Amino acid sequence: MPKKTPYILCAFKQPNDQLLQPIYAFGQRQGWLIELCTETLPQNWQGDGVISDYLTLEELAALRDIGKIPVVSRILPPGGNVRSVLSDTRAVARVAVDFFAGQGFRVFASVSARDFPGEVCGIPVSPGRALLELTRERGLEYHAHYCAPVEGNPPAYPEMVAGIREFLRNLPKPAALTLTSVWVVAPVWRAVEELELRVPEEIAILCNSQRPLYTCYTPVPLSGISGEHGTVGLKLAETMQKMLDGDDVPLEPEVVSPSAVIRRASTDIIAVPHLKLATAIRFLIQNCGTSVGIGEAARYAGLSQSMLNRLFRRYLGRTAAGFLQQLRIDRMKNLLDSTGLSLSEIAAQTGYSSPVSLSLAFRRATGMQPGAYRELRRG
């Protein structure tokens, strides 16, 4: 008897190619027929499973048998026929804050399409909420703007841009701005240009995405947080297949963290008042893929190594060596996530003399071997 084709609906409020590509690739290998819809759901759709991003159970109720077939979601709490794959918004906040704090910023801000209140299994749904939580914990100044209310329709586009413009106008400068979704990239740029703000000198901008159409082709290319969406898509698909196979899938959700920041011109600024320290930081950022050390950075900036370390502790609360190591670990994570390079090739691009020294450094920093990290991220 021929195997039945599973009919899977991808019901996405915010379609995302980085999420959908691994789902479609996985589904092709498993023989799925995948249908895609956005907020307008096909009334009385009938099939074998639903993968969703930000739709509620009430919104999914238009689908037939939604209480019986497997559902895998990015925001629904797990239970019954529902399982969850969550973005670790606290890890997203930590990556963003650590990145900007490492460049000397003390004023943090975010613009979000909508405020998603509440938590799922103890994890805030909204990255903006996680940023608020972390900056409060660290005693940092934080400002947030949401384009749409928690409930109800978003404002018309001119009103949306006007709201962002007023928010940016009143923001203390220089500020580190995180865009929590790609949907606010264009209106933020409109507001930035209308206010004639300088990027990154007055507003340094980081996007919670690495989607090239939204980060590479803006007036100033945007730095982006990488490594999350592709892994989330893969885990959504894997969880669906386990449920289709009748496996006992634990209620505890899969939680996916980002890997690192991809640096581009929108954050190419060091916001520390000490010129020689800023020079040393920039030197380390530009040369972290080579074997240069702290001594070379100190000499380049015209400082002794001990003075450089004192300045790092005073302005950034860490050692110069710790700062350089974090740059290299972030670069390793991105290469492990986004390429098929061997450990020898990654070592050559991150300043390590061999795969062994790279593996030791990576394990000390993350608690995992590089190969195990890559396997976990790619499934």
Side-chain angles (χ1 to χ4, degrees):
M1 184 175 177
K3 182 181 176 182
K4 179 182 178 296
T5 298
Y7 299 139
I8 306 298
L9 180 68
C10 284
F12 275 50
K13 183 172 282 191
Q14 296 181 0
N16 179 334
D17 53 304
Q18 287 190 317
L19 277 170
L20 290 169
Q21 274 189 332
I23 294 173
Y24 272 76
F26 183 93
Q28 184 181 45
R29 295 193 297 272
Q30 299 297 326
W32 296 357
L33 175 64
I34 297 178
E35 300 169 71
L36 176 65
C37 70
T38 55
E39 292 185 70
T40 305
L41 300 183
Q43 293 292 317
N44 291 318
W45 178 89
Q46 190 171 18
D48 300 284
V50 175
I51 298 175
S52 180
D53 58 354
Y54 303 119
L55 293 168
T56 66
L57 278 177
E58 290 74 17
E59 290 171 316
L60 292 171
L63 308 176
R64 190 181 299 180
D65 297 328
I66 193 61
K68 300 177 182 177
I69 60 175
V71 176
V72 187
S73 168
R74 294 193 67 190
I75 65 162
L76 295 177
N81 64 318
V82 177
R83 294 297 182 271
S84 304
V85 177
L86 307 178
S87 294
D88 190 343
T89 53
R90 287 197 176 96
V92 171
R94 189 164 55 250
V95 166
V97 172
D98 286 349
F99 172 75
F100 280 127
Q103 296 186 185
F105 282 91
R106 290 296 175 265
V107 176
F108 294 78
S110 69
V111 173
S112 307
R114 184 187 294 273
D115 182 15
F116 293 98
E119 298 181 348
V120 177
C121 299
I123 298 174
V125 175
S126 167
R129 298 261 177 156
L131 282 163
L132 172 62
E133 182 183 282
L134 182 61
T135 49
R136 276 183 177 172
E137 178 185 311
R138 297 190 182 182
L140 299 168
E141 184 175 349
Y142 177 67
H143 306 262
H145 177 76
Y146 298 97
C147 297
V150 173
E151 297 180 358
N153 296 322
Y157 195 81
E159 285 72 27
M160 182 186 302
V161 174
I164 295 172
R165 185 173 61 241
E166 191 63 20
F167 171 72
L168 296 182
R169 188 199 312 278
N170 296 322
L171 195 63
K173 315 293 190 304
L177 177 64
T178 300
L179 309 183
T180 66
S181 79
V182 296
W183 311 110
V184 300
V185 169
V188 164
W189 269 113
R190 285 195 176 214
V192 164
E193 296 198 336
E194 289 172 8
L195 292 170
E196 298 183 347
L197 293 174
R198 292 172 297 133
V199 177
E201 291 81 3
E202 294 176 284
I203 301 283
I205 304 177
L206 172 67
C207 186
N208 181 27
S209 176
Q210 184 46 23
R211 296 169 70 180
L213 289 178
Y214 295 91
T215 57
C216 294
Y217 303 109
T218 46
V220 178
L222 292 181
S223 295
I225 298 176
S226 75
E228 176 193 0
H229 292 106
T231 304
V232 168
L234 178 62
K235 298 299 183 183
L236 287 166
E238 288 179 339
T239 304
M240 173 57 66
Q241 186 59 50
K242 290 175 185 176
M243 296 177 76
L244 292 174
D245 291 340
D247 295 350
D248 185 15
V249 182
L251 279 177
E252 184 176 347
E254 288 264 12
V255 180
V256 179
S257 302
S259 59
V261 170
I262 304 300
R263 295 172 179 269
R264 295 195 180 91
S266 69
T267 59
D268 189 16
I269 187 171
I270 309 300
V272 293
H274 197 288
L275 180 59
K276 289 188 175 182
L277 174 59
T279 300
I281 292 172
R282 189 174 299 282
F283 178 86
L284 290 173
I285 291 172
Q286 292 172 346
N287 294 280
C288 67
T290 71
S291 59
V292 300
I294 304 306
E296 289 94 331
R299 285 192 292 274
Y300 183 81
L303 296 166
S304 67
Q305 192 166 327
S306 60
M307 176 56 75
L308 179 61
N309 267 313
R310 282 199 292 273
L311 291 171
F312 258 94
R313 288 188 180 280
R314 177 181 174 185
Y315 288 101
L316 301 181
R318 63 196 309 182
T319 64
F323 179 81
L324 177 58
Q325 183 191 43
Q326 190 60 56
L327 290 175
R328 288 174 170 161
I329 294 298
D330 286 348
R331 185 170 175 82
M332 282 185 223
K333 286 180 176 179
N334 180 53
L335 292 172
L336 288 166
D337 257 357
S338 61
T339 75
L341 293 177
S342 68
L343 293 188
S344 295
E345 292 169 313
I346 293 175
Q349 293 190 31
T350 52
Y352 289 92
S353 58
S354 69
V356 173
S357 59
L358 178 146
S359 296
L360 288 172
F362 193 86
R363 184 168 184 175
R364 279 196 299 269
T366 67
M368 300 179 68
Q369 292 287 1
Y373 175 84
R374 176 177 267 169
E375 183 176 350
L376 177 68
R377 303 292 292 188
R378 295 192 173 188

